[in-house]
Amino acid sequence: MPDKREPAFCRGRAWIELDQKALRHNVGVLRKLLPDGCELMPAVKTNAYGHGAVLISRELNRLGVNAFCVATVQEGAELRNNDITGTILVLGYTHPKDFLLLRRYHLTQTVLDLSYAKILDRYGKKISVHVKIDTGMRRLGERSEKIEEISKIFECRNLNIEGIFTHLCVADENSSESVAFTHAQAKAFYDVVAELHQRGFICPKKHIVSSDGLLYYPELAENYARVGIALYGVLSTRADTERCGISLEPVLSIKARIALVKDLFQGEAAGYGLQFVASQDSRIAVVAIGYGDGIPRSLSCGVGSVLIQGIKAPIVGRICMDQMLVDISNIPNVKAGDVAVIIGQSGDEKITACDLAEQDGTISNEILSRLGERLERQFVGKKEF
Ligand SMILES: *Cc1c(COP(=O)(O)O)cnc(C)c1O
């Protein structure tokens, strides 16, 4: 049976533990990379990459972080409703019907291009904005060569322009083409800033880099480093994490309860589609987490594993929405109520978000940001526990 002294949040079927020390450590090492005059502006969009936006932002506020970026106005409002202070930049599109929320919650909107600037301006009340410049990614932002259009953005009377920024798209790649492309992006951005200056327009805050940009081009960091993935202690892939040269510590662990243990006779099959067939008498555990919680179904049938008592137990059969089966034939004394580690450390073994990403053919960012609402999240290592 579950231990009565366990904190309530992890009496559930599956949960996320956040490591406060790891977050502090990552903030510390990333801050060391910042040039003078530059602050962290952590990306806490998509529920802080699945970690829990309010929990993470509150902790960051305590660590003196005073600027955040989110993807949507609703994400920004949620932070304000939980007393998060500082600048909150909305990176993405906001519907004109939601412009009032920008003002109500003191959010800063990204100007996506000149036509969006005009729509914001027509709202008729002052809105704080950062202007986005497209220097090569060809996603959001007015194209850097369209200096007349960019100047017109600066002429909008109702825009309180507090910043100007761009986004790098190959900062993680070290080929000579990618390095040249990144330098060209930076030059295009600085040319825009210089031209605006010539025309008498002031850009108070400038920012260019996200995680990879800060790691490999810290000289471009200017006033804000919009770090996301690195702050959470992993990079997109294992190779990136090994190459980056600084020690980041994963903030998140995922754990799930073993609902029951069951013996299978040789030749018996299990799970949807009976995809697992016991080649010998076997013992399986039903683990109370599934693809509904964000565990990729592609990890079914032996691709992924979980840790139980510091030993890897392969996922067998097809992962279901709320649970999955693991083979524990080689792990003695597993009982219902025991805990399986899906991401994190157990004994000397660990499984990282990058491992799951590799097995799923994606990047850790996608694994983390898809983690389900149903998982309760809590910092561990605090006095309360
Ligand atoms: C998500 C995002 C970031 C953070 O990127 P990481 O690679 O996770 O550090 C920074 N800037 C913009 C515009 C983003 O959309």
Side-chain angles (χ1 to χ4, degrees):
M1 279 324 263
D3 184 340
K4 282 210 183 71
R5 289 159 306 180
E6 282 176 341
F9 87 94
C10 63
R11 280 183 212 143
R13 53 180 281 282
W15 64 94
I16 286 173
E17 294 180 3
L18 302 171
D19 182 338
Q20 194 175 33
K21 277 211 212 98
L23 183 64
R24 282 168 185 262
H25 169 86
N26 298 338
V27 166
V29 295
L30 293 169
R31 274 186 174 149
K32 284 208 186 97
L33 300 176
L34 300 176
D36 284 349
C38 183
E39 309 174 38
L40 294 178
M41 186 191 243
V44 292
K45 57 194 183 186
T46 322
N47 204 19
Y49 294 44
H51 290 61
V54 171
L55 286 170
I56 292 286
S57 304
R58 202 177 275 151
E59 192 57 33
L60 290 170
N61 258 174
R62 284 198 197 110
L63 295 171
V65 169
N66 213 18
F68 299 90
C69 33
V70 294
T72 70
V73 74
Q74 285 75 18
E75 289 177 338
E78 191 202 4
L79 296 185
R80 289 292 189 230
N81 282 332
N82 287 278
D83 303 321
I84 302 303
T85 60
T87 301
I88 299 179
L89 175 63
V90 178
L91 296 168
Y93 175 85
T94 299
H95 193 281
K97 285 220 163 89
D98 286 340
F99 288 167
L100 82 163
L101 299 177
L102 292 170
R103 284 170 54 89
R104 183 183 303 160
Y105 292 103
H106 306 286
L107 306 174
T108 307
Q109 173 61 40
T110 295
V111 177
L112 309 180
D113 64 358
L114 174 59
S115 20
Y116 194 71
K118 288 179 178 162
I119 297 169
L120 281 164
D121 196 39
R122 259 185 262 139
Y123 181 62
K125 293 180 191 162
K126 290 272 181 194
I127 294 177
S128 294
V129 299
H130 284 202
V131 176
K132 184 136 191 206
I133 306 298
D134 172 15
T135 54
M137 178 147 184
R138 308 302 171 225
R139 198 177 62 176
L140 300 179
E142 188 58 70
R143 290 179 73 112
S144 54
E145 63 274 26
K146 295 203 167 180
I147 193 67
E148 297 310 325
E149 282 80 353
I150 296 168
S151 296
K152 288 204 183 92
I153 295 173
F154 277 73
E155 283 163 9
C156 290
R157 287 167 163 222
N158 292 317
L159 300 188
N160 241 341
I161 297 180
E162 293 170 358
I164 184 166
F165 72 109
T166 191
H167 193 45
L168 303 175
C169 50
V170 286
D172 58 324
E173 289 170 25
N174 57 7
S175 68
S176 53
E177 293 83 9
S178 296
V179 172
F181 193 90
T182 300
H183 285 136
Q185 283 195 273
K187 181 175 185 305
F189 179 74
Y190 287 125
D191 285 351
V192 168
V193 172
E195 183 59 34
L196 287 168
H197 195 77
Q198 280 280 312
R199 296 177 182 213
F201 299 120
I202 300 156
C203 314
K205 299 281 190 186
K206 298 184 277 295
H207 46 113
I208 301 177
V209 301
S210 51
S211 293
D212 293 319
L214 179 62
L215 290 170
Y216 302 119
Y217 304 89
E219 70 281 3
L220 298 181
E222 293 295 330
N223 302 116
Y224 287 124
R226 301 184 309 269
V227 290
I229 194 72
L231 189 80
Y232 305 109
V234 286
L235 293 179
S236 297
T237 66
R238 192 156 20 142
D240 290 343
T241 311
E242 280 159 13
R243 177 186 151 220
C244 80
I246 62 167
S247 76
L248 296 168
E249 292 175 10
V251 173
L252 169 146
S253 301
I254 306 177
K255 299 186 179 172
R257 195 69 66 185
I258 293 171
L260 63 77
V261 165
K262 180 167 288 182
D263 290 317
L264 295 188
F265 295 111
Q266 183 182 11
E268 278 188 314
Y272 285 123
L274 298 175
Q275 291 296 299
F276 172 64
V277 181
S279 59
Q280 56 194 43
D281 288 353
S282 302
R283 178 166 286 180
I284 57 173
V286 179
V287 180
I289 191 167
Y291 63 77
D293 303 293
I295 308 305
R297 190 168 170 275
S298 62
L299 270 56
S300 295
C301 300
V303 175
S305 29
V306 306
L307 298 175
I308 298 171
Q309 298 171 16
I311 302 170
K312 276 198 172 146
I315 298 170
V316 293
R318 289 191 187 141
I319 295 176
C320 312
M321 192 181 291
D322 316 310
Q323 44 222 324
M324 58 180 162
L325 308 177
V326 302
D327 188 345
I328 53 165
S329 304
N330 299 327
I331 312 176
N333 305 323
V334 179
K335 314 179 293 303
D338 286 358
V339 171
V341 173
I342 317 300
I343 291 178
Q345 181 104 23
S346 171
D348 295 331
E349 281 280 358
K350 73 176 176 197
I351 294 177
T352 66
C354 290
D355 294 333
L356 267 70
E358 213 166 276
Q359 291 156 357
D360 187 41
T362 184
I363 55 176
S364 63
N365 315 46
E366 181 181 351
I367 298 291
L368 293 170
S369 64
R370 290 164 64 113
L371 293 175
E373 290 263 333
R374 230 169 24 178
L375 300 170
E376 246 189 284
R377 289 142 168 94
Q378 190 89 54
F379 274 102
V380 292
K382 278 189 171 175
K383 279 201 210 83
E384 298 96 274
F385 303 123

